């Protein structure tokens, strides 16, 4: 990956040091470049500490995230880690906020989107919401994320026939990252983003933490309280802190 912006290495993952505005500009520039002028679909990972912890246990996933075109610091845990390592990022670039920022630019420069993933109701509602909030965006196709594996090639063909500028993939982590990496050479989309639970929030099925909680850096606690089944995954948060501390100490 040849890149012009600075990154900070957190447990082997190169996080972009661009702020939200620069990140949005980086993405929209690619949304308006001809696909034929690109070697492959640009893969964006919005990575939180949970994803980083997955990569410490799965070398193939680590390679996928390292090879992505852009990895944004999604989560106060990443902002803390960069700070702790003495190489801070300007701010958190959360996937959900980034998605809205990118969509907002459609008012000046329209683009098209294909929505893959989440259950049928969430997928449909998310498409309706995007159409309602951002009428300049052309939703050229959508497909829920609970399809039979045998149908996958046909779905890729469907996406390629629709030729979206932006492809949103919500299949959960790490499946969405693996999915984009598998098809990024053949996809006709310009940019593909793994958006995790963002479609559920967009569709109104899952509530995001109130702004005050976000400011107090307690979004993880809100998520745990509203989706208690995630507690096992969230055990990775203290493990992440310990690993970053250890990485810092081994530098000394
Ligand atoms: N999802 C999907 N197909 C699957 C598994 C998950 O479409 O086989 C969707 C799920 O409905 C949700 C999104 O992926 O909309 C994110 O799932 P989850 O919150 O479990 O994953 P995370 O982003 O936290 O890894």
């Amino acid at each position: 990956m040849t890149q012009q912006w600075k990154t900070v290495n957190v447990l082997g993952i190169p996080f972009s040091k661009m702020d939200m505005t620069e990140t949005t500009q980086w993405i929209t520039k690619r949304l308006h470049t001809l696909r034929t002028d690109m070697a492959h679909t640009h893969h964006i990972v919005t990575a939180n500490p949970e994803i980083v912890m997955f990569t410490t246990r799965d070398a193939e996933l680590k390679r996928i995230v390292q090879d992505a075109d852009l990895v944004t610091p999604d989560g106060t845990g990443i902002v803390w880690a960069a700070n702790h390592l003495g190489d801070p990022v300007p701010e958190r670039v959360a996937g959900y906020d980034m998605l809205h920022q990118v969509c907002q630019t459609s008012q000046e420069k329209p683009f098209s989107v294909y929505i893959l993933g989440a259950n049928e109701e969430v997928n449909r509602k998310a498409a309706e919401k995007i159409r309602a909030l951002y009428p300049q965006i052309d939703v050229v196709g959508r497909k829920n994320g609970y399809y039979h594996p045998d149908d996958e090639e046909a779905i890729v063909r469907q996406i390629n026939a629709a030729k979206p500028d932006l492809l949103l993939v919500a299949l959960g982590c790490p499946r969405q990252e693996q999915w984009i990496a598998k098809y990024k050479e053949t996809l006709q989309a310009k940019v593909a983003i793994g958006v995790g639970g963002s479609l559920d929030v967009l569709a109104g099925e899952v509530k995001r933490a109130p702004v005050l909680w976000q400011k107090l850096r307690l979004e993880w606690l809100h998520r745990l309280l509203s989706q208690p089944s995630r507690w096992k995954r969230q055990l990775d948060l203290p493990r992440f802190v310990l690993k970053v501390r250890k990485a810092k100490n081994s530098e000394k």
Side-chain angles (χ1 to χ4, degrees):
M1 167 168 75
T2 45
Q3 57 193 36
Q4 307 78 32
W5 66 94
K6 292 198 172 111
T7 58
V8 44
N9 181 331
V10 177
L11 303 182
I13 302 302
F15 280 91
S16 146
K17 290 178 74 169
M18 290 190 282
D19 64 15
M20 181 65 91
T21 305
E22 292 165 327
T23 306
T24 304
Q25 285 167 352
W26 187 96
I27 295 171
T28 50
K29 187 174 170 201
R30 274 134 194 101
L31 287 180
H32 301 291
T33 302
L34 282 178
R35 176 63 180 81
T36 44
D37 292 342
M38 297 174 173
H40 57 253
T41 297
H42 284 89
H43 180 190
I44 300 176
V45 179
T46 68
N48 58 16
E50 289 178 37
I51 300 185
V52 175
M53 288 306 290
F54 279 139
T55 68
T56 64
R57 300 183 198 110
D58 179 342
E60 172 65 12
L61 181 66
K62 187 170 192 171
R63 192 193 54 76
I64 286 174
V65 180
Q66 287 172 335
D67 283 353
D69 295 274
L70 183 66
V71 185
T72 75
D74 184 351
T76 50
I78 305 296
V79 176
W80 167 82
N83 239 335
H84 187 72
L85 294 167
D87 197 3
V89 292
E91 62 180 333
R92 177 181 177 201
V93 181
Y96 184 74
D97 300 327
M98 185 184 86
L99 181 59
H100 278 291
Q101 295 286 329
V102 169
C103 286
Q104 238 153 39
T105 67
S106 66
Q107 287 168 359
E108 281 174 20
K109 280 183 135 189
F111 58 83
S112 61
V113 67
Y114 188 106
I115 306 169
L116 171 66
N119 68 43
E120 178 55 23
E121 197 190 345
V122 166
N123 184 291
R124 181 178 48 76
K125 280 189 183 167
E128 282 166 7
K129 194 74 187 272
I130 288 181
R131 283 194 180 107
L133 288 176
Y134 307 106
Q136 305 294 340
I137 294 182
D138 189 8
V139 182
V140 288
R142 62 174 196 87
K143 174 81 194 162
N144 72 61
Y146 292 88
Y147 53 81
H148 192 279
D150 289 350
D151 295 338
E152 193 157 284
E153 299 293 332
I155 292 169
V156 174
R157 281 198 298 275
Q158 206 184 84
I159 295 170
N160 284 349
K163 286 192 174 37
D165 296 315
L166 177 63
L167 172 64
L168 303 178
V169 185
L171 297 173
C173 175
R175 198 171 142 219
Q176 61 199 18
E177 281 70 34
Q178 292 159 337
W179 196 98
I180 296 172
K182 182 171 174 192
Y183 294 110
K184 70 178 183 184
E185 307 288 338
T186 44
L187 278 171
Q188 287 303 310
K190 295 172 185 170
V191 174
I193 312 178
V195 291
S198 288
L199 298 187
D200 297 77
V201 181
L202 201 56
E205 294 297 309
V206 172
K207 290 261 174 298
R208 218 175 152 203
V211 176
L212 182 63
W213 287 54
Q214 291 181 37
K215 281 197 178 138
L216 292 171
R217 302 182 176 180
L218 288 174
E219 192 158 15
W220 62 272
L221 180 60
H222 182 269
R223 208 162 181 196
L224 182 62
L225 294 174
S226 50
Q227 295 172 277
S229 58
R230 299 181 67 90
W231 73 271
K232 261 195 183 154
R233 283 183 60 162
Q234 290 208 333
L235 287 179
D236 264 351
L237 297 176
R239 290 193 194 112
F240 173 79
V241 171
L242 290 177
K243 257 192 180 296
V244 172
R245 288 217 161 114
K246 210 169 147 196
K248 164 99 176 163
N249 287 338
S250 67
E251 269 176 15
K252 284 179 186 164

